[in-house]
Amino acid sequence: MVSERVTKIGASPTLKIAAKAKAMKAEGIDVADLSVGEPDFPTPENVKAAAIKAIEQNFTKYTENDGIPELRKAVCQRLKEDYGLDYKPNEVLVSSGAKNSLFNLVQAIVNEGDEVIIPAPYWVTYPECVNLAKGKPVIVETREEDGFILTPEQLRAAITPSTRALILNNPNNPTGATYNREQLEALAEVIRKEDIYIIADEIYSKLIYDGFQFVSFAALGEDIKKKTIIITGVSKSYSMTGWRIGFAVGPAEIISAMSKIQSHTTSNACSISQKASVEALTGPQYEVNRMVAEFQRRRNYVLMRLQQIPGISCFKPQGAFYVFPNVKSFYGKEAGGIQIRNSYGLAYYLLREARVAIVPGDAFGADDYIRISYATSMENLEKGLDRIYEALSRIKTAKKVKKIYLQNYVTRVKRQVPVEVIAEGKMRDALVAEMESHLGYENYYDWNANINGTIVQLRTNVGHLYDFWVENWFPAQIEAGLEPHAVIYAVDNVPGREPRAYYHPETRTGIMVNSDHYGSLRKLALGMVLDSQEHLGINAIRGLAVAVDSSGLVLVGQPGTKKTELFFELLKKPRVQAQSNEIIFVRFSGSKAIADSVERKFYIPTNTVELNDKLSRLFDHSKCENVVMRREDCTDRTCPIQEECRLDKGAPYCFRASADAYAMLDPNWIAGPQGFIRRTNLKSLVILRNDQVSPAVVELKKEEALRILESGEPSGAVKSISSKTQPFFNPHLLVWNEDKLALQRMFFSRLLDHVKCYLVNSGMATSEDLFRGTP
Ligand code: PMP
């Protein structure tokens, strides 16, 4: 399992478009690639010669961890000469590229939960770098009308007691915006009063145009210098991206902390590249100037061409090698039958229809824009802009803009929260008092649900939970003075508490703290009701239930046994009615086992969307939780259409993109009023396994069935209580001890006197087999 820290972050999206463009080029398609993030010039000859010399002299071993002394000295000299900065070699750390410098720095200064202010549009790596250090990126959007410059007011407003640092990228990737001295001074004034660091990413400092005077943030005074760490390198200025050399320059204490991290990760940067970088920094600088002059010529050309495209406006940048045109006017319009909704949609349109690769602005936190790089030949720029012009002029106002009905709520907490059973009344009372004090009068919702006859009252301050709760359960109006049988507090925004749930069986009190996830609330409610009805001889079976010619059949099994697939297969048969997609409550009445579905709606994962033709349309009209609306939130690594992702093409959402997305589906909608049944006489229990060897259908004897049910394993090997496998396939069970086990055993033993039990191999069996094998 990949750690959560890493599953949370997306791979660099810049690479995705570039990779697609590369694949197209490999197929012989002529793509104008305007997505590149590196100069197209060769590394200067003197630099290459220095590297060859280093190899000849066998300078091929580990070097000093922090970088060779002559390179650290050369960095100091350059900063002195170019920007008047005084640094000593022990204030310089040489790393494997500026990206590596940034990573070391953020790891060195950011504690868990620390906030790092990142003005948007931002270079894609900043937020993820902060996330990897368990910090919290605080994105502040700069405005095009301010020239994409962070204002002192915006900075002041973003600083909190948790702020640790500001990342200031000057000149900026992707906008090309460059701060003048006055603008920097204004920010410095705010910072003087605060105890925060400035991460000054000045990697593009040499690439500036129109005679602009670059000012380093560290040059704003000794006090500011003490709070500033400059990130720079040779990648961009000397066309040395592949050599992987970057520098961090700042207070010795920070540099030495970063050095410790480096000593355990990459050690020193490449020895040969270090020697080459000494030459780059100390040798003649005219190659840099030549490159800058050429970039300026290209920038002017690109701006001129963009001006001629109706619907595009573009800010004039004075640094780096990107322009960042505003393309919002094309959104909501149509081309080639596809509606363009966002920058990803436009990027894919341009790649497919115009064979031009650019980077969608959303990757930089600014969806109204695209990034065009002019670090490519004039010929390529001409070709690319001709094609952009042609392709954008084909975009038309959509004939009918498809209305989006989807009612989706994205929760902060996406997975089941752990439930802790509390025995002590005192602890319950303290928790309830704490919850009551946070509920307040505003935003306070309560509603009584009738769950299989048990009245459960929800008290919450989360609108979404209330909304889903009311949608999901049958109402239980209680008269004044009558108490509900059970109460659940679902309280969010309680300081100092992790998302978690508690259950106190004696008073039938449930408490869910700091989670807005309905799935967790529903599970807690079902578990509580189950626990309270057990002594009445009522139990629940967790599985998918149908009626075949009015007789109940329930499918149970561990994840991966294709329960849901089989359920939808069965529903296609005329003799089959749907009962529940998750749980049925069962009680005995004379010789019958009566199974009830107790929810008004199916709370169903939307990644089932392909199992039935109607689902997509029905989910569209259902209340949903956590449907993915942005490509970077997609967690479906098995998606077969990754290359042709519908979100990339501008679709507003994708139902299969996350296993955490659920819809509140009205069962009548899938099955029709005749196709849905609430109560059955349960006749068959089907335990599923999925392999390539076992027979399709085996009828089980009672003892064998009981053993398999109890262990939760088709092999029937009895597991200990602490085992991860859910006994009786039921993860809703809250309290679990020998007495409870005995009650469950008794229930299922009785059930097996009423129903036939089959072990079905979904790897072999079809729904036809199920039909044949079961009554
Ligand atoms: N900072 C910014 C703003 C950049 O755009 C880049 C490269 N795209 C880097 C840092 C990283 O540079 P390097 O290749 O030296 O790691």
Side-chain angles (χ1 to χ4, degrees):
M1 243 332 229
V2 175
S3 79
E4 222 169 87
R5 203 171 63 248
V6 177
T7 45
K8 236 174 56 181
I9 67 168
S12 173
T14 331
L15 298 178
K16 266 195 312 208
I17 299 278
K20 186 127 180 120
K22 213 178 198 168
M24 284 170 75
K25 280 191 222 165
E27 279 177 38
I29 302 171
D30 165 32
V31 175
D33 193 352
L34 310 186
S35 71
V36 287
E38 59 183 347
D40 55 316
F41 298 86
T43 300
E45 288 306 321
N46 59 321
V47 175
K48 288 194 239 171
I52 291 166
K53 192 167 151 204
I55 297 171
E56 283 167 358
Q57 292 177 345
N58 283 321
F59 193 71
T60 54
K61 306 284 162 131
Y62 290 133
T63 74
E64 291 82 348
N65 182 73
D66 299 354
I68 55 175
E70 54 184 316
L71 179 54
R72 297 164 83 194
K73 209 167 123 209
V75 172
C76 297
Q77 274 169 1
R78 239 326 89 245
L79 290 175
K80 175 78 182 163
E81 209 171 292
D82 293 345
Y83 312 123
L85 293 167
D86 281 308
Y87 282 105
K88 293 195 250 345
N90 69 341
E91 293 171 308
V92 178
L93 179 69
V94 179
S95 300
S96 304
K99 200 180 256 187
N100 185 208
S101 307
L102 182 78
F103 182 86
N104 287 338
L105 173 56
V106 172
Q107 290 289 331
I109 63 174
V110 173
N111 292 302
E112 184 165 353
D114 280 355
E115 293 175 4
V116 177
I117 299 173
I118 303 173
Y122 47 74
W123 178 43
V124 289
T125 291
Y126 298 144
E128 305 300 20
C129 187
V130 172
N131 282 330
L132 282 172
K134 293 196 172 178
K136 190 170 159 222
V138 174
I139 310 296
V140 179
E141 284 178 30
T142 63
R143 288 178 290 256
E144 188 179 351
E145 50 279 25
D146 293 334
F148 294 114
I149 296 292
L150 178 72
T151 65
E153 295 77 31
Q154 285 180 311
L155 175 60
R156 203 173 293 122
I159 294 175
T160 73
S162 306
T163 307
R164 189 74 173 151
L166 160 72
I167 304 185
L168 198 70
N169 180 208
N170 177 31
N172 177 276
N173 174 7
T175 62
T178 305
Y179 289 73
N180 63 29
R181 179 178 281 277
E182 202 184 336
Q183 288 159 336
L184 292 175
E185 287 285 6
L187 295 179
E189 258 327 288
V190 178
I191 283 154
R192 283 204 167 88
K193 300 185 195 93
E194 307 287 345
D195 186 19
I196 62 174
Y197 287 114
I198 310 306
I199 300 174
D201 184 344
E202 300 181 349
I203 188 125
Y204 293 100
S205 61
K206 296 237 156 208
L207 308 182
I208 45 173
Y209 315 114
D210 307 330
F212 197 93
Q213 276 298 313
F214 175 81
V215 178
S216 171
F217 205 81
L220 301 177
E222 267 313 303
D223 54 344
I224 291 292
K225 188 171 166 233
K226 283 190 188 133
K227 297 179 174 184
T228 304
I229 304 95
I230 301 174
I231 300 290
T232 186
V234 292
S235 300
K236 314 285 174 174
S237 322
Y238 302 96
S239 208
M240 290 176 69
T241 41
W243 298 73
R244 308 310 299 133
I245 294 290
F247 313 119
V249 189
E253 175 206 8
I254 304 287
I255 295 298
S256 94
M258 292 169 64
S259 159
K260 274 202 257 178
I261 298 167
Q262 177 154 306
S263 74
H264 293 296
T265 50
T266 55
S267 300
N268 60 279
C270 166
S271 59
I272 323 279
S273 300
Q274 290 194 61
K275 282 284 191 192
S277 301
V278 173
E279 176 60 26
L281 295 176
T282 57
Q285 301 291 302
Y286 53 77
E287 296 269 6
V288 185
N289 301 336
R290 230 171 38 136
M291 190 163 78
V292 170
E294 173 60 14
F295 278 150
Q296 180 166 321
R297 190 170 79 94
R298 294 181 194 171
R299 179 205 59 167
N300 293 345
Y301 172 75
V302 175
L303 286 173
M304 184 264 293
R305 290 295 310 269
L306 288 174
Q307 253 173 19
Q308 294 163 351
I309 305 180
I312 278 196
S313 66
C314 190
F315 161 78
K316 182 179 181 180
Q318 290 185 298
F321 39 65
Y322 312 104
V323 292
F324 205 54
N326 187 320
V327 291
K328 194 172 179 212
S329 72
F330 296 100
Y331 297 175
K333 295 192 173 170
E334 204 173 78
I338 291 174
Q339 192 168 345
I340 290 168
R341 292 183 194 276
N342 50 31
S343 57
Y344 272 104
L346 192 66
Y348 271 82
Y349 169 70
L350 288 177
L351 188 60
R352 208 179 46 245
E353 297 291 317
R355 287 162 285 113
V356 182
I358 49 92
V359 185
D362 190 52
F364 310 100
D367 194 36
D368 291 347
Y369 301 83
I370 56 173
R371 190 191 78 175
I372 294 176
S373 162
Y374 49 87
T376 183
S377 70
M378 216 33 179
E379 187 194 354
N380 204 29
L381 284 171
E382 243 173 80
K383 184 163 70 182
L385 285 153
D386 283 348
R387 291 177 179 184
I388 292 177
Y389 181 91
E390 195 274 327
L392 292 186
S393 55
R394 270 193 283 140
I395 294 185
K396 303 208 175 53
T397 305
K399 278 190 213 79
K400 61 172 188 343
V401 176
K402 195 175 160 214
K403 198 157 180 266
I404 303 172
Y405 293 100
L406 185 75
Q407 306 169 61
N408 189 36
Y409 185 90
V410 178
T411 60
R412 197 182 64 255
V413 175
K414 300 223 167 21
R415 296 280 161 95
Q416 298 287 356
V417 297
V419 188
E420 193 179 311
V421 176
I422 48 176
E424 266 196 54
K426 269 196 202 134
M427 183 170 169
R428 178 259 175 210
D429 293 347
L431 273 167
V432 167
E434 187 182 346
M435 295 307 118
E436 296 270 11
S437 76
H438 281 286
L439 272 176
Y441 291 108
E442 303 132 33
N443 303 331
Y444 173 98
Y445 306 94
D446 66 19
W447 203 79
N448 301 315
N450 173 351
I451 308 180
N452 205 36
T454 295
I455 298 173
V456 185
Q457 182 170 81
L458 173 70
R459 300 182 188 175
T460 185
N461 60 357
V462 185
H464 164 64
L465 292 180
Y466 172 73
D467 188 27
F468 267 45
W469 180 263
V470 173
E471 183 86 4
N472 195 188
W473 306 111
F474 291 99
Q477 278 321 315
I478 53 172
E479 289 156 32
L482 268 182
E483 290 294 315
H485 304 123
V487 175
I488 299 182
Y489 293 86
V491 186
D492 204 1
N493 301 317
V494 180
R497 284 197 174 271
E498 291 289 309
R500 208 176 178 81
Y502 303 88
Y503 170 52
H504 184 245
E506 203 180 315
T507 56
R508 307 253 176 259
T509 311
I511 293 157
M512 183 167 89
V513 194
N514 287 346
S515 166
D516 54 351
H517 179 236
Y518 180 70
S520 301
L521 174 62
R522 175 180 171 275
K523 176 177 154 65
L524 179 63
L526 285 168
M528 284 171 58
V529 171
L530 202 62
D531 196 51
S532 74
Q533 299 192 344
E534 223 172 29
H535 69 284
L536 304 172
I538 299 176
N539 204 342
I541 302 177
R542 184 154 178 276
L544 295 106
V546 297
V548 180
D549 292 334
S550 307
S551 295
L553 179 152
V554 59
L555 304 164
V556 303
Q558 296 294 351
T561 51
K562 296 204 177 155
K563 289 193 293 283
T564 315
E565 280 86 340
L566 219 52
F567 175 69
F568 280 106
E569 271 297 306
L570 282 169
L571 290 191
K572 287 184 189 153
K573 312 271 174 203
R575 289 157 51 206
V576 176
Q577 291 168 291
Q579 187 184 19
S580 170
N581 72 313
E582 218 265 342
I583 195 163
I584 46 171
F585 278 67
V586 178
R587 66 195 164 79
F588 301 103
S589 168
S591 61
K592 289 180 183 162
I594 307 289
D596 281 309
S597 115
V598 301
E599 291 168 279
R600 288 180 60 220
K601 296 288 160 78
F602 285 1
Y603 179 69
I604 183 170
T606 64
N607 63 10
T608 53
V609 63
E610 279 144 20
L611 298 181
N612 179 295
D613 294 343
K614 283 196 267 177
L615 283 178
S616 163
R617 197 164 38 83
L618 301 183
F619 290 161
D620 271 352
H621 294 265
S622 305
K623 287 188 176 171
C624 291
E625 187 174 72
N626 295 327
V627 173
V628 168
M629 307 186 94
R630 290 151 33 115
R631 170 80 189 245
E632 54 273 42
D633 298 332
C634 173
T635 54
D636 183 2
R637 302 281 169 258
T638 62
C639 181
I641 57 163
Q642 272 188 29
E643 283 308 303
E644 290 296 323
C645 172
R646 55 173 82 86
L647 290 170
D648 280 344
K649 286 181 181 169
Y653 47 84
C654 172
F655 285 128
R656 62 165 291 167
S658 164
D660 303 325
Y662 281 77
M664 276 288 184
L665 181 64
D666 190 320
N668 291 299
W669 288 3
I670 344 177
Q674 260 67 58
F676 173 61
I677 186 163
R678 280 207 183 281
R679 172 168 292 180
T680 61
N681 183 1
L682 188 61
K683 291 282 181 58
S684 324
L685 173 63
V686 173
I687 304 173
L688 291 174
R689 58 178 157 183
N690 180 9
D691 61 54
Q692 293 308 317
V693 286
S694 319
V697 182
V698 184
E699 187 173 344
L700 293 175
K701 296 216 173 64
K702 181 172 168 180
E703 283 316 306
E704 205 176 346
L706 207 54
R707 205 175 60 240
I708 292 177
L709 285 163
E710 184 171 328
S711 70
E713 273 291 325
S715 65
V718 175
K719 295 275 165 94
S720 68
I721 284 173
S722 62
S723 150
K724 274 206 164 158
T725 310
Q726 291 290 346
F728 306 105
F729 303 95
N730 195 341
H732 297 313
L733 299 170
L734 290 175
V735 187
W736 200 230
N737 53 36
E738 287 304 331
D739 289 348
K740 296 280 175 184
L741 191 68
L743 275 175
Q744 290 286 329
R745 207 179 280 136
M746 216 155 74
F747 169 82
F748 277 98
S749 166
R750 196 169 166 198
L751 179 74
L752 289 166
D753 292 335
H754 291 76
V755 305
K756 288 197 172 215
C757 185
Y758 303 90
L759 186 58
V760 171
N761 180 2
S762 54
M764 294 288 198
T766 61
S767 59
E768 284 300 328
D769 290 323
L770 263 190
F771 251 53
R772 269 198 301 275
T774 58

